[in-house]
Short mmCIF file of all heavy atoms in Angstrom, two decimals:
data_model
loop_
_atom_site.label_atom_id
_atom_site.label_comp_id
_atom_site.label_asym_id
_atom_site.label_seq_id
_atom_site.Cartn_x
_atom_site.Cartn_y
_atom_site.Cartn_z
N MET A 36 215.64 63.02 239.69
CA MET A 36 215.07 63.08 238.33
C MET A 36 215.01 64.54 237.89
O MET A 36 214.43 65.37 238.57
CB MET A 36 213.66 62.47 238.35
CG MET A 36 213.22 62.00 236.98
SD MET A 36 211.55 61.29 237.03
CE MET A 36 211.84 59.78 237.98
N THR A 37 215.63 64.86 236.77
CA THR A 37 215.70 66.25 236.33
C THR A 37 214.67 66.58 235.26
O THR A 37 214.72 67.64 234.64
CB THR A 37 217.11 66.58 235.79
OG1 THR A 37 217.41 65.66 234.76
CG2 THR A 37 218.15 66.49 236.88
N THR A 38 213.73 65.68 235.02
CA THR A 38 212.67 65.95 234.06
C THR A 38 211.84 67.15 234.53
O THR A 38 211.43 67.20 235.68
CB THR A 38 211.75 64.72 233.94
OG1 THR A 38 212.54 63.58 233.64
CG2 THR A 38 210.71 64.92 232.87
N THR A 39 211.58 68.08 233.63
CA THR A 39 210.73 69.22 234.01
C THR A 39 209.27 68.91 233.70
O THR A 39 208.95 68.08 232.84
CB THR A 39 211.13 70.50 233.24
OG1 THR A 39 210.94 70.27 231.84
CG2 THR A 39 212.58 70.86 233.50
N LEU A 40 208.40 69.60 234.40
CA LEU A 40 206.96 69.40 234.19
C LEU A 40 206.56 69.76 232.76
O LEU A 40 205.68 69.12 232.17
CB LEU A 40 206.16 70.26 235.18
CG LEU A 40 206.39 69.96 236.66
CD1 LEU A 40 205.52 70.88 237.51
CD2 LEU A 40 206.11 68.51 236.98
N ALA A 41 207.24 70.74 232.19
CA ALA A 41 206.92 71.18 230.83
C ALA A 41 207.13 70.06 229.81
O ALA A 41 206.48 70.04 228.76
CB ALA A 41 207.78 72.38 230.46
N ALA A 42 208.02 69.12 230.14
CA ALA A 42 208.34 68.05 229.19
C ALA A 42 207.32 66.91 229.24
O ALA A 42 207.28 66.08 228.33
CB ALA A 42 209.74 67.51 229.50
N ILE A 43 206.52 66.86 230.29
CA ILE A 43 205.62 65.72 230.48
C ILE A 43 204.20 66.15 230.86
O ILE A 43 203.61 65.63 231.81
CB ILE A 43 206.19 64.78 231.58
CG1 ILE A 43 206.49 65.57 232.87
CG2 ILE A 43 207.43 64.04 231.08
CD1 ILE A 43 206.73 64.68 234.09
N PRO A 44 203.61 67.09 230.13
CA PRO A 44 202.32 67.67 230.55
C PRO A 44 201.17 66.67 230.60
O PRO A 44 200.18 66.92 231.31
CB PRO A 44 202.05 68.75 229.50
CG PRO A 44 202.83 68.32 228.31
CD PRO A 44 204.06 67.65 228.85
N LYS A 45 201.26 65.56 229.88
CA LYS A 45 200.14 64.61 229.85
C LYS A 45 200.35 63.41 230.76
O LYS A 45 199.55 62.49 230.77
CB LYS A 45 199.89 64.15 228.42
CG LYS A 45 199.36 65.27 227.56
CD LYS A 45 199.07 64.84 226.15
CE LYS A 45 198.46 66.00 225.36
NZ LYS A 45 198.35 65.69 223.95
N LEU A 46 201.44 63.43 231.50
CA LEU A 46 201.73 62.29 232.38
C LEU A 46 201.37 62.62 233.82
O LEU A 46 200.95 63.73 234.14
CB LEU A 46 203.21 61.91 232.25
CG LEU A 46 203.65 61.53 230.84
CD1 LEU A 46 205.12 61.10 230.84
CD2 LEU A 46 202.79 60.42 230.26
N HIS A 47 201.51 61.63 234.69
CA HIS A 47 201.24 61.80 236.11
C HIS A 47 202.51 61.55 236.90
O HIS A 47 203.39 60.82 236.45
CB HIS A 47 200.19 60.79 236.58
CG HIS A 47 198.79 61.15 236.21
ND1 HIS A 47 198.39 61.35 234.91
CD2 HIS A 47 197.69 61.33 236.99
CE1 HIS A 47 197.09 61.65 234.90
NE2 HIS A 47 196.65 61.65 236.15
N LEU A 48 202.55 62.11 238.09
CA LEU A 48 203.63 61.79 239.00
C LEU A 48 203.10 60.84 240.06
O LEU A 48 202.08 61.09 240.69
CB LEU A 48 204.16 63.05 239.70
CG LEU A 48 204.78 64.12 238.83
CD1 LEU A 48 205.43 65.17 239.71
CD2 LEU A 48 205.81 63.52 237.88
N SER A 49 203.80 59.74 240.21
CA SER A 49 203.49 58.79 241.26
C SER A 49 204.48 59.03 242.39
O SER A 49 205.68 58.87 242.21
CB SER A 49 203.63 57.36 240.71
OG SER A 49 203.57 56.44 241.76
N LEU A 50 203.96 59.46 243.54
CA LEU A 50 204.83 59.79 244.67
C LEU A 50 204.57 58.83 245.82
O LEU A 50 203.43 58.49 246.11
CB LEU A 50 204.54 61.22 245.16
CG LEU A 50 204.69 62.33 244.12
CD1 LEU A 50 204.27 63.67 244.72
CD2 LEU A 50 206.11 62.41 243.60
N GLU A 51 205.65 58.40 246.47
CA GLU A 51 205.50 57.51 247.62
C GLU A 51 206.33 58.03 248.77
O GLU A 51 207.52 58.31 248.62
CB GLU A 51 205.93 56.09 247.24
CG GLU A 51 205.58 55.08 248.31
CD GLU A 51 206.00 53.67 247.91
OE1 GLU A 51 205.82 53.29 246.74
OE2 GLU A 51 206.54 52.98 248.78
N CYS A 52 205.70 58.17 249.93
CA CYS A 52 206.37 58.67 251.12
C CYS A 52 207.35 57.64 251.65
O CYS A 52 207.01 56.46 251.80
CB CYS A 52 205.33 59.00 252.19
SG CYS A 52 206.06 59.58 253.74
N GLY A 53 208.56 58.08 251.93
CA GLY A 53 209.58 57.17 252.45
C GLY A 53 209.35 56.83 253.91
O GLY A 53 209.93 55.88 254.43
N LEU A 54 208.52 57.61 254.60
CA LEU A 54 208.30 57.40 256.03
C LEU A 54 207.11 56.47 256.32
O LEU A 54 207.22 55.52 257.06
CB LEU A 54 208.06 58.74 256.73
CG LEU A 54 209.23 59.73 256.67
CD1 LEU A 54 208.82 61.08 257.24
CD2 LEU A 54 210.44 59.17 257.41
N CYS A 55 205.97 56.76 255.69
CA CYS A 55 204.77 55.99 256.01
C CYS A 55 204.27 55.16 254.83
O CYS A 55 203.34 54.38 254.97
CB CYS A 55 203.65 56.91 256.52
SG CYS A 55 202.90 57.92 255.23
N GLY A 56 204.85 55.37 253.64
CA GLY A 56 204.44 54.59 252.49
C GLY A 56 203.20 55.13 251.78
O GLY A 56 202.71 54.50 250.85
N HIS A 57 202.70 56.28 252.25
CA HIS A 57 201.53 56.88 251.61
C HIS A 57 201.82 57.12 250.13
O HIS A 57 202.89 57.63 249.78
CB HIS A 57 201.17 58.20 252.30
CG HIS A 57 199.95 58.86 251.72
ND1 HIS A 57 198.68 58.55 252.12
CD2 HIS A 57 199.82 59.82 250.77
CE1 HIS A 57 197.82 59.29 251.44
NE2 HIS A 57 198.48 60.07 250.61
N HIS A 58 200.86 56.78 249.29
CA HIS A 58 201.04 56.92 247.85
C HIS A 58 200.10 57.96 247.29
O HIS A 58 198.96 58.08 247.73
CB HIS A 58 200.78 55.56 247.17
CG HIS A 58 200.90 55.63 245.69
ND1 HIS A 58 199.81 55.73 244.86
CD2 HIS A 58 201.99 55.64 244.90
CE1 HIS A 58 200.25 55.79 243.61
NE2 HIS A 58 201.55 55.74 243.59
N ARG A 59 200.59 58.72 246.33
CA ARG A 59 199.80 59.80 245.77
C ARG A 59 200.06 59.87 244.27
O ARG A 59 201.20 59.72 243.83
CB ARG A 59 200.28 61.09 246.43
CG ARG A 59 199.32 62.22 246.37
CD ARG A 59 199.85 63.29 247.29
NE ARG A 59 199.19 64.56 247.04
CZ ARG A 59 199.58 65.71 247.55
NH1 ARG A 59 200.63 65.75 248.34
NH2 ARG A 59 198.93 66.81 247.29
N LEU A 60 199.01 60.09 243.52
CA LEU A 60 199.13 60.22 242.08
C LEU A 60 198.69 61.63 241.68
O LEU A 60 197.56 62.02 241.93
CB LEU A 60 198.24 59.18 241.40
CG LEU A 60 198.50 58.89 239.92
CD1 LEU A 60 199.91 58.37 239.69
CD2 LEU A 60 197.49 57.89 239.42
N LEU A 61 199.60 62.39 241.10
CA LEU A 61 199.31 63.78 240.76
C LEU A 61 199.37 63.98 239.25
O LEU A 61 200.39 63.66 238.63
CB LEU A 61 200.34 64.71 241.39
CG LEU A 61 200.37 64.82 242.91
CD1 LEU A 61 201.56 65.66 243.34
CD2 LEU A 61 199.09 65.43 243.43
N PRO A 62 198.31 64.52 238.64
CA PRO A 62 198.38 64.84 237.21
C PRO A 62 199.31 66.03 236.99
O PRO A 62 199.15 67.06 237.64
CB PRO A 62 196.95 65.18 236.83
CG PRO A 62 196.15 65.21 238.08
CD PRO A 62 197.04 64.88 239.24
N VAL A 63 200.25 65.88 236.08
CA VAL A 63 201.19 66.97 235.81
C VAL A 63 200.44 68.20 235.29
O VAL A 63 200.81 69.33 235.60
CB VAL A 63 202.27 66.51 234.80
CG1 VAL A 63 203.14 67.68 234.36
CG2 VAL A 63 203.13 65.42 235.44
N ALA A 64 199.36 67.98 234.55
CA ALA A 64 198.59 69.11 234.03
C ALA A 64 198.10 70.00 235.17
O ALA A 64 198.09 71.23 235.06
CB ALA A 64 197.40 68.60 233.22
N ALA A 65 197.70 69.39 236.27
CA ALA A 65 197.22 70.17 237.43
C ALA A 65 198.38 70.91 238.08
O ALA A 65 198.23 72.06 238.51
CB ALA A 65 196.56 69.24 238.44
N LEU A 66 199.55 70.26 238.15
CA LEU A 66 200.72 70.92 238.73
C LEU A 66 201.13 72.14 237.90
O LEU A 66 201.52 73.17 238.44
CB LEU A 66 201.89 69.94 238.81
CG LEU A 66 201.71 68.77 239.77
CD1 LEU A 66 202.82 67.75 239.56
CD2 LEU A 66 201.71 69.26 241.20
N LEU A 67 201.01 72.00 236.58
CA LEU A 67 201.43 73.08 235.68
C LEU A 67 200.57 74.33 235.85
O LEU A 67 201.01 75.43 235.53
CB LEU A 67 201.37 72.60 234.23
CG LEU A 67 202.57 71.76 233.77
CD1 LEU A 67 202.29 71.11 232.43
CD2 LEU A 67 203.83 72.62 233.69
N SER A 68 199.35 74.16 236.35
CA SER A 68 198.49 75.34 236.52
C SER A 68 198.94 76.18 237.70
O SER A 68 198.56 77.34 237.82
CB SER A 68 197.03 74.91 236.68
OG SER A 68 196.84 74.24 237.90
N GLY A 69 199.76 75.59 238.58
CA GLY A 69 200.18 76.35 239.75
C GLY A 69 201.68 76.52 239.90
O GLY A 69 202.14 77.28 240.74
N LEU A 70 202.45 75.79 239.09
CA LEU A 70 203.91 75.82 239.25
C LEU A 70 204.59 76.28 237.98
O LEU A 70 204.03 76.19 236.88
CB LEU A 70 204.42 74.41 239.60
CG LEU A 70 203.99 73.82 240.93
CD1 LEU A 70 204.46 72.37 241.02
CD2 LEU A 70 204.53 74.62 242.09
N ASP A 71 205.82 76.72 238.13
CA ASP A 71 206.67 77.04 236.98
C ASP A 71 206.87 75.77 236.15
O ASP A 71 207.19 74.72 236.70
CB ASP A 71 208.02 77.52 237.53
CG ASP A 71 208.95 78.04 236.44
OD1 ASP A 71 208.97 77.46 235.35
OD2 ASP A 71 209.65 79.02 236.70
N PRO A 72 206.68 75.85 234.82
CA PRO A 72 206.85 74.66 233.98
C PRO A 72 208.26 74.07 234.04
O PRO A 72 208.45 72.90 233.72
CB PRO A 72 206.57 75.19 232.56
CG PRO A 72 205.83 76.46 232.75
CD PRO A 72 206.22 77.02 234.07
N GLU A 73 209.22 74.89 234.47
CA GLU A 73 210.59 74.39 234.57
C GLU A 73 210.87 73.69 235.90
O GLU A 73 211.99 73.25 236.17
CB GLU A 73 211.59 75.54 234.37
CG GLU A 73 211.53 76.16 232.97
CD GLU A 73 211.70 75.13 231.86
OE1 GLU A 73 212.65 74.34 231.94
OE2 GLU A 73 210.88 75.12 230.94
N THR A 74 209.87 73.61 236.76
CA THR A 74 210.02 72.85 238.00
C THR A 74 210.29 71.39 237.65
O THR A 74 209.67 70.83 236.76
CB THR A 74 208.72 72.94 238.83
OG1 THR A 74 208.41 74.31 239.04
CG2 THR A 74 208.89 72.26 240.18
N THR A 75 211.22 70.78 238.35
CA THR A 75 211.54 69.38 238.04
C THR A 75 210.70 68.43 238.89
O THR A 75 210.16 68.81 239.94
CB THR A 75 213.03 69.07 238.29
OG1 THR A 75 213.29 69.18 239.69
CG2 THR A 75 213.94 70.03 237.53
N VAL A 76 210.64 67.20 238.41
CA VAL A 76 209.92 66.15 239.14
C VAL A 76 210.49 66.01 240.56
O VAL A 76 209.75 65.86 241.52
CB VAL A 76 210.03 64.81 238.37
CG1 VAL A 76 209.54 63.64 239.21
CG2 VAL A 76 209.23 64.91 237.07
N ALA A 77 211.81 66.08 240.66
CA ALA A 77 212.45 65.95 241.97
C ALA A 77 212.04 67.08 242.91
O ALA A 77 211.82 66.86 244.10
CB ALA A 77 213.97 65.92 241.82
N GLN A 78 211.92 68.29 242.36
CA GLN A 78 211.52 69.42 243.20
C GLN A 78 210.08 69.26 243.70
O GLN A 78 209.78 69.59 244.84
CB GLN A 78 211.65 70.73 242.40
CG GLN A 78 213.09 71.16 242.21
CD GLN A 78 213.23 72.36 241.28
OE1 GLN A 78 212.47 72.49 240.32
NE2 GLN A 78 214.20 73.20 241.53
N VAL A 79 209.21 68.75 242.83
CA VAL A 79 207.82 68.53 243.25
C VAL A 79 207.79 67.50 244.38
O VAL A 79 207.11 67.69 245.39
CB VAL A 79 206.96 68.04 242.06
CG1 VAL A 79 205.57 67.62 242.54
CG2 VAL A 79 206.85 69.13 241.01
N ALA A 80 208.53 66.42 244.20
CA ALA A 80 208.53 65.36 245.21
C ALA A 80 209.05 65.88 246.55
O ALA A 80 208.51 65.55 247.60
CB ALA A 80 209.39 64.18 244.73
N ARG A 81 210.07 66.70 246.49
CA ARG A 81 210.67 67.23 247.72
C ARG A 81 209.75 68.20 248.43
O ARG A 81 209.73 68.26 249.66
CB ARG A 81 211.98 67.95 247.40
CG ARG A 81 213.21 67.06 247.41
CD ARG A 81 214.48 67.88 247.64
NE ARG A 81 214.64 68.94 246.66
CZ ARG A 81 215.27 68.79 245.50
NH1 ARG A 81 215.76 67.62 245.19
NH2 ARG A 81 215.38 69.79 244.67
N SER A 82 209.00 69.00 247.67
CA SER A 82 208.22 70.06 248.29
C SER A 82 206.81 69.62 248.68
O SER A 82 206.15 70.29 249.45
CB SER A 82 208.17 71.29 247.39
OG SER A 82 207.56 70.95 246.16
N ALA A 83 206.33 68.51 248.12
CA ALA A 83 204.98 68.05 248.45
C ALA A 83 204.94 67.52 249.88
O ALA A 83 205.86 66.85 250.32
CB ALA A 83 204.56 66.97 247.47
N ARG A 84 203.86 67.84 250.58
CA ARG A 84 203.72 67.35 251.95
C ARG A 84 202.91 66.07 251.94
O ARG A 84 201.88 65.98 251.29
CB ARG A 84 203.04 68.39 252.83
CG ARG A 84 202.99 68.02 254.30
CD ARG A 84 202.55 69.18 255.16
NE ARG A 84 203.57 70.24 255.27
CZ ARG A 84 204.59 70.20 256.13
NH1 ARG A 84 204.73 69.20 256.93
NH2 ARG A 84 205.47 71.17 256.16
N CYS A 85 203.38 65.07 252.65
CA CYS A 85 202.68 63.78 252.69
C CYS A 85 201.32 63.94 253.35
O CYS A 85 201.21 64.55 254.41
CB CYS A 85 203.51 62.76 253.46
SG CYS A 85 202.64 61.18 253.66
N GLN A 86 200.29 63.39 252.69
CA GLN A 86 198.95 63.48 253.26
C GLN A 86 198.71 62.38 254.29
O GLN A 86 197.69 62.37 254.96
CB GLN A 86 197.92 63.39 252.13
CG GLN A 86 197.98 64.60 251.22
CD GLN A 86 196.99 64.53 250.08
OE1 GLN A 86 196.73 63.45 249.54
NE2 GLN A 86 196.43 65.65 249.69
N GLY A 87 199.64 61.46 254.38
CA GLY A 87 199.50 60.37 255.35
C GLY A 87 200.07 60.76 256.69
O GLY A 87 199.38 60.75 257.71
N CYS A 88 201.35 61.14 256.73
CA CYS A 88 202.02 61.40 258.01
C CYS A 88 202.39 62.88 258.18
O CYS A 88 202.99 63.24 259.18
CB CYS A 88 203.28 60.54 258.13
SG CYS A 88 204.59 60.99 256.97
N ARG A 89 202.00 63.70 257.20
CA ARG A 89 202.28 65.14 257.21
C ARG A 89 203.77 65.44 257.13
O ARG A 89 204.21 66.55 257.40
CB ARG A 89 201.70 65.84 258.47
CG ARG A 89 200.28 65.47 258.80
CD ARG A 89 199.33 65.67 257.66
NE ARG A 89 199.18 67.09 257.27
CZ ARG A 89 198.56 67.50 256.17
NH1 ARG A 89 198.06 66.63 255.34
NH2 ARG A 89 198.48 68.77 255.89
N GLY A 90 204.58 64.46 256.80
CA GLY A 90 206.01 64.67 256.63
C GLY A 90 206.27 65.47 255.37
O GLY A 90 205.47 65.45 254.44
N LYS A 91 207.37 66.17 255.34
CA LYS A 91 207.69 67.01 254.18
C LYS A 91 208.49 66.19 253.17
O LYS A 91 209.55 65.67 253.48
CB LYS A 91 208.49 68.22 254.64
CG LYS A 91 208.88 69.13 253.49
CD LYS A 91 208.13 70.45 253.58
CE LYS A 91 208.72 71.45 252.60
NZ LYS A 91 207.77 71.94 251.64
N GLY A 92 207.94 66.11 251.98
CA GLY A 92 208.68 65.47 250.89
C GLY A 92 208.35 64.00 250.73
O GLY A 92 208.11 63.29 251.70
N TYR A 93 208.29 63.56 249.49
CA TYR A 93 208.06 62.16 249.18
C TYR A 93 209.39 61.56 248.74
O TYR A 93 210.11 62.13 247.91
CB TYR A 93 207.03 62.03 248.05
CG TYR A 93 205.62 62.19 248.53
CD1 TYR A 93 205.07 63.44 248.75
CD2 TYR A 93 204.82 61.07 248.76
CE1 TYR A 93 203.76 63.59 249.19
CE2 TYR A 93 203.51 61.21 249.20
CZ TYR A 93 203.00 62.47 249.40
OH TYR A 93 201.70 62.60 249.83
N GLY A 94 209.74 60.41 249.29
CA GLY A 94 211.03 59.80 249.00
C GLY A 94 211.15 59.26 247.59
O GLY A 94 212.22 59.29 246.99
N LYS A 95 210.06 58.75 247.07
CA LYS A 95 210.12 58.14 245.74
C LYS A 95 209.20 58.87 244.79
O LYS A 95 208.05 59.15 245.11
CB LYS A 95 209.66 56.67 245.81
CG LYS A 95 210.58 55.77 246.59
CD LYS A 95 210.05 54.35 246.50
CE LYS A 95 210.61 53.48 247.63
NZ LYS A 95 209.85 52.24 247.77
N ALA A 96 209.71 59.18 243.61
CA ALA A 96 208.90 59.83 242.57
C ALA A 96 209.10 59.09 241.27
O ALA A 96 210.21 58.72 240.91
CB ALA A 96 209.31 61.29 242.42
N GLN A 97 208.00 58.89 240.57
CA GLN A 97 208.05 58.17 239.31
C GLN A 97 207.08 58.84 238.35
O GLN A 97 206.01 59.27 238.75
CB GLN A 97 207.61 56.72 239.59
CG GLN A 97 208.08 55.73 238.58
CD GLN A 97 207.64 54.31 238.97
OE1 GLN A 97 207.02 54.11 240.01
NE2 GLN A 97 207.96 53.36 238.14
N VAL A 98 207.47 58.94 237.10
CA VAL A 98 206.58 59.49 236.09
C VAL A 98 205.80 58.33 235.47
O VAL A 98 206.38 57.35 235.04
CB VAL A 98 207.37 60.24 235.00
CG1 VAL A 98 206.44 60.76 233.92
CG2 VAL A 98 208.16 61.39 235.62
N VAL A 99 204.48 58.45 235.48
CA VAL A 99 203.66 57.35 234.96
C VAL A 99 202.64 57.86 233.95
O VAL A 99 202.22 59.02 233.98
CB VAL A 99 202.91 56.61 236.10
CG1 VAL A 99 203.90 55.93 237.03
CG2 VAL A 99 202.01 57.55 236.87
N TYR A 100 202.24 56.96 233.06
CA TYR A 100 201.20 57.27 232.09
C TYR A 100 199.92 56.63 232.57
O TYR A 100 199.85 55.43 232.78
CB TYR A 100 201.58 56.73 230.71
CG TYR A 100 200.50 56.97 229.69
CD1 TYR A 100 200.26 58.25 229.20
CD2 TYR A 100 199.72 55.93 229.23
CE1 TYR A 100 199.26 58.48 228.28
CE2 TYR A 100 198.71 56.15 228.29
CZ TYR A 100 198.49 57.43 227.82
OH TYR A 100 197.49 57.65 226.92
N VAL A 101 198.88 57.43 232.75
CA VAL A 101 197.63 56.91 233.29
C VAL A 101 196.62 56.62 232.19
O VAL A 101 195.87 55.66 232.26
CB VAL A 101 197.03 57.89 234.33
CG1 VAL A 101 195.65 57.47 234.75
CG2 VAL A 101 197.95 57.97 235.54
N GLY A 102 196.60 57.43 231.14
CA GLY A 102 195.67 57.18 230.04
C GLY A 102 194.53 58.16 230.01
O GLY A 102 194.51 59.16 230.72
N ALA A 103 193.53 57.84 229.20
CA ALA A 103 192.47 58.79 228.91
C ALA A 103 191.63 59.13 230.13
O ALA A 103 190.97 60.17 230.16
CB ALA A 103 191.57 58.24 227.82
N SER A 104 191.62 58.27 231.16
CA SER A 104 190.78 58.53 232.33
C SER A 104 191.17 59.82 233.03
O SER A 104 190.37 60.41 233.73
CB SER A 104 190.86 57.36 233.31
OG SER A 104 192.16 57.26 233.82
N GLU A 105 192.41 60.27 232.84
CA GLU A 105 192.85 61.49 233.51
C GLU A 105 191.99 62.68 233.11
O GLU A 105 191.77 63.59 233.86
CB GLU A 105 194.31 61.78 233.20
CG GLU A 105 194.55 62.30 231.80
CD GLU A 105 196.03 62.56 231.53
OE1 GLU A 105 196.51 63.62 231.92
OE2 GLU A 105 196.67 61.70 230.92
N TYR A 106 191.50 62.67 231.85
CA TYR A 106 190.73 63.82 231.39
C TYR A 106 189.36 63.86 232.07
O TYR A 106 188.86 64.92 232.38
CB TYR A 106 190.60 63.78 229.86
CG TYR A 106 191.96 63.86 229.23
CD1 TYR A 106 192.53 62.77 228.60
CD2 TYR A 106 192.70 65.04 229.32
CE1 TYR A 106 193.80 62.85 228.05
CE2 TYR A 106 193.97 65.13 228.79
CZ TYR A 106 194.52 64.03 228.15
OH TYR A 106 195.77 64.10 227.63
N ALA A 107 188.79 62.70 232.31
CA ALA A 107 187.53 62.63 233.04
C ALA A 107 187.71 63.18 234.46
O ALA A 107 186.89 63.94 234.96
CB ALA A 107 187.02 61.20 233.09
N LEU A 108 188.84 62.82 235.09
CA LEU A 108 189.12 63.29 236.44
C LEU A 108 189.32 64.80 236.46
O LEU A 108 188.83 65.49 237.33
CB LEU A 108 190.36 62.59 237.00
CG LEU A 108 190.21 61.11 237.30
CD1 LEU A 108 191.57 60.51 237.65
CD2 LEU A 108 189.23 60.88 238.43
N ASP A 109 190.04 65.30 235.45
CA ASP A 109 190.27 66.73 235.39
C ASP A 109 188.95 67.48 235.28
O ASP A 109 188.74 68.49 235.92
CB ASP A 109 191.13 67.08 234.17
CG ASP A 109 192.61 66.81 234.45
OD1 ASP A 109 192.95 66.59 235.61
OD2 ASP A 109 193.39 66.85 233.50
N GLY A 110 188.04 66.94 234.46
CA GLY A 110 186.75 67.59 234.27
C GLY A 110 185.98 67.66 235.57
O GLY A 110 185.39 68.67 235.91
N ALA A 111 186.03 66.57 236.34
CA ALA A 111 185.31 66.53 237.60
C ALA A 111 185.88 67.56 238.57
O ALA A 111 185.14 68.21 239.29
CB ALA A 111 185.41 65.13 238.22
N ARG A 112 187.20 67.69 238.57
CA ARG A 112 187.84 68.60 239.50
C ARG A 112 187.50 70.06 239.18
O ARG A 112 187.31 70.86 240.08
CB ARG A 112 189.36 68.40 239.44
CG ARG A 112 190.04 68.69 240.74
CD ARG A 112 191.51 68.28 240.69
NE ARG A 112 191.71 66.86 240.69
CZ ARG A 112 192.33 66.17 239.72
NH1 ARG A 112 192.83 66.79 238.70
NH2 ARG A 112 192.46 64.88 239.79
N GLU A 113 187.42 70.36 237.89
CA GLU A 113 187.16 71.76 237.52
C GLU A 113 185.76 72.22 237.89
O GLU A 113 185.51 73.40 237.99
CB GLU A 113 187.40 71.93 236.02
CG GLU A 113 188.88 72.05 235.68
CD GLU A 113 189.16 71.83 234.21
OE1 GLU A 113 188.21 71.89 233.42
OE2 GLU A 113 190.31 71.58 233.87
N ARG A 114 184.86 71.29 238.11
CA ARG A 114 183.49 71.68 238.46
C ARG A 114 183.35 72.02 239.94
O ARG A 114 182.34 72.52 240.36
CB ARG A 114 182.51 70.57 238.09
CG ARG A 114 182.20 70.55 236.59
CD ARG A 114 180.98 69.70 236.29
NE ARG A 114 181.18 68.30 236.63
CZ ARG A 114 181.70 67.40 235.79
NH1 ARG A 114 182.06 67.77 234.59
NH2 ARG A 114 181.85 66.16 236.15
N ASP A 115 184.38 71.73 240.72
CA ASP A 115 184.30 72.00 242.16
C ASP A 115 184.08 73.48 242.44
O ASP A 115 184.75 74.31 241.88
CB ASP A 115 185.58 71.56 242.88
CG ASP A 115 185.66 70.06 242.95
OD1 ASP A 115 184.63 69.42 242.73
OD2 ASP A 115 186.75 69.55 243.20
ZN1 LIG B 256 204.06 59.88 254.95
#
């Protein structure tokens, strides 16, 4: 997938590990605070480390729309 993060700032990335099936949902807005906006979805999936089996890279990546709840989650995270 060659979509860049800059093109989808309000969406989430749904990542699934090809080895253990661990699933992770990442808000693109959070990724943009630490990565180059021109980073592609495929690059994020490849470089993310699986939190389930510690394997490098997620086999499946999908762009998903989560909705307004993402803003509530973002707010909670920023208070940490
Ligand atoms: Zn895994």
Side-chain angles (χ1 to χ4, degrees):
M36 202 180 292
T37 56
T38 306
T39 62
L40 299 181
I43 53 166
K45 292 182 177 172
L46 301 183
H47 282 58
L48 297 189
S49 169
L50 303 176
E51 190 179 318
C52 178
L54 297 173
C55 73
H57 181 85
H58 178 260
R59 201 169 165 190
L60 196 60
L61 294 174
V63 172
L66 293 170
L67 280 169
S68 68
L70 295 174
D71 187 322
E73 296 305 311
T74 304
T75 66
V76 169
Q78 286 173 326
V79 172
R81 271 203 304 271
S82 60
R84 186 169 289 277
C85 175
Q86 293 179 324
C88 68
R89 313 306 295 170
K91 179 111 169 122
Y93 281 80
K95 293 183 200 165
Q97 202 178 358
V98 178
V99 295
Y100 177 72
V101 172
S104 65
E105 74 181 278
Y106 298 109
L108 291 172
D109 280 348
R112 210 172 289 120
E113 281 164 16
R114 282 195 296 272
D115 288 344

